[in-house]
Amino acid sequence: MDLLLAFLGFIVCMTVSLALDITMLLPLGIGLILFSSLALRRGFSLKQLLRFAADSLKESFIVVGILLIIGCLTGMWRMSGTVAYFVTLGVSAIPPQIFILSAFLMSSLMAYALGTSFGVTATAGVILMSIANAGGVDPVLSAGAILSGVYVGDRGSPAASSANLVAVLTHTDMRKNVREMLKCSIVPFLLCCVIYGLLSLKAPMQSVDTGILNMLGEEFSLRWYCIIPAVLMIVLPFCKMSIKLSMAVSLAASVAVAMLVQQVNLLECLKVMILGYTADNSALSGMISGGGVISMLEICGILMLSCSYGTIFEGTGLIASVNEKICRVADKIGRFPAMLLLGTLTPAVFCNQTVATIMQSNLSNGLYGDSDDEKNSKMIDIENSVILVAGLVPWCIACSVPLAMLNADARAIPAGFYLWLVPLWWLLRSKINSKKKSLGVK
């Protein structure tokens, strides 16, 4: 009963925070106090809890370091013209007859390069929606295609904070994870291309507004060199270079492009890495400005507090009874179906993808063994459930924030086909594999 009360108190705090638009750090801090108090009440010492928290910080610092580099990257990619060149090149090449498909593919490519759903939505997504509205394309379908595309990268990019978080939680290799995620999403991705292609033919763009492209051309010197930082970020991890080193090389390239092409000095680059980029043209400010280490500070705080929950839960055994119940559910319906159920409940309750991911990882500990194969299975099950399902829950910030940026509403969610086709495809595969296993078929 005391555990249930602690969870209810935590959920109420999260709900109030979401309703009042208060930072998630506050309810996470209150929740940590609630669960720590419960552990103290059950006989654990403050020294033990502090040790658990210290252990979680060591683990979270791996992801925090990557997040800070990503902050520097997103700022510099804006200043160097990489984002603007990506957008200009993509929009200029979009045939009006296949605008919705092109919006999906362009969002996918940009999100894979940048590794951020919010960053791509706020830049390419906003511009694509502006062009769609001006061209008479159905805004619901356009928003759905963009939402799908940005989550292709948010789930599977080597630069994605969520992918790096899952790698740390499951103790798996990030480069192998990226390859595995690509393999298991090929069919859903191709299905999305077919669906968005057909929808494009049914609802083509009537006219093209190049006003935004002209403004981007005035803001930046757009040459092919501008795309080099993004190309490096996409290619290097597949050349067996570590994620951090790939990011460092991409960051160095973006600094070089900014200095040589955009004619800015090193001091300005350092400032953008820390504080983010601010566009000179006020009309572009909402689309291009942003990034920098400062943009990642709240996410880093959320991550460190959330990771503390995991070590406290594991060290104190507070949720051992919950783990057992989840194992019993998995025995009845299957392991991935149980993970998909968890991956739906956690973002619905905690309204935050990062918190939901960590909670799902903690609650599912009893479902997986310690072998490398079991760790990989847990990784892909998390990636194919909560990471994407969070983008389908209207009140979860993983969904509500991108929709708000696109000036769209919940009607666009069903049109975000990638977000639900991947979990459904993996659910179908898990059912088929379970049936083969029960029949003794290899």
Side-chain angles (χ1 to χ4, degrees), residues 400-424:
S400 61
V401 171
L403 289 181
M405 290 176 180
L406 298 174
N407 197 25
D409 55 36
R411 290 178 298 167
I413 295 174
F417 297 109
Y418 185 82
L419 291 163
W420 52 268
L421 279 176
V422 172
L424 287 180

Side-chain angles (χ1 to χ4, degrees), residues 162-348:
S162 61
N164 281 281
L165 171 62
V166 173
V168 170
L169 291 173
T170 57
H171 305 286
T172 50
D173 182 80
M174 182 62 186
R175 288 177 299 175
K176 292 180 181 178
N177 293 356
V178 169
R179 290 195 291 269
E180 188 64 30
M181 283 187 278
L182 283 173
K183 284 193 296 182
C184 73
S185 63
I186 290 174
V187 171
F189 185 85
L190 292 177
L191 283 173
C192 284
C193 290
V194 172
I195 294 169
Y196 288 127
L198 293 173
L199 290 173
S200 297
L201 295 175
K202 187 178 178 181
M205 185 162 56
Q206 304 300 318
S207 60
V208 181
D209 181 6
T210 59
I212 295 174
L213 301 186
N214 293 333
M215 286 190 286
L216 287 173
E218 294 171 0
E219 181 82 8
F220 301 96
S221 175
L222 299 177
R223 305 178 190 176
W224 70 267
Y225 316 107
C226 297
I227 207 171
I228 290 176
V231 172
L232 290 172
M233 192 62 247
I234 294 172
V235 172
L236 292 180
F238 288 99
C239 298
K240 297 185 177 181
M241 182 178 286
S242 71
I243 301 301
K244 285 185 177 180
L245 185 56
S246 299
M247 288 180 178
V249 172
S250 178
L251 180 60
S254 64
V255 171
V257 170
M259 294 177 69
L260 296 174
V261 179
Q262 308 304 337
Q263 300 296 306
V264 297
N265 58 49
L266 183 58
L267 186 61
E268 289 177 284
C269 291
L270 293 173
K271 182 181 177 181
V272 166
M273 286 186 209
I274 304 299
L275 301 177
Y277 175 73
T278 303
D280 292 333
N281 187 334
S282 58
L284 291 174
S285 184
M287 304 176 193
I288 297 296
S289 298
V293 168
I294 195 170
S295 69
M296 290 292 172
L297 293 182
E298 183 176 355
I299 298 174
C300 290
I302 290 172
L303 176 68
M304 288 188 287
L305 281 174
S306 300
C307 284
S308 299
Y309 284 68
T311 52
I312 289 176
F313 287 155
E314 185 177 351
T316 61
L318 283 178
I319 59 172
S321 60
V322 181
N323 288 117
E324 291 173 3
K325 291 176 182 177
I326 291 170
C327 287
R328 288 199 293 271
V329 171
D331 289 338
K332 293 179 180 179
I333 66 173
R335 188 162 69 176
F336 181 68
M339 286 292 281
L340 188 54
L341 180 61
L342 268 179
T344 304
L345 290 174
T346 48

Side-chain angles (χ1 to χ4, degrees), residues 344-364:
T344 304
L345 290 174
T346 48
V349 170
F350 298 108
C351 312
N352 179 284
Q353 186 195 58
T354 301
V355 179
T357 301
I358 293 171
M359 291 303 297
Q360 186 193 34
S361 178
N362 294 330
L363 292 169
S364 62

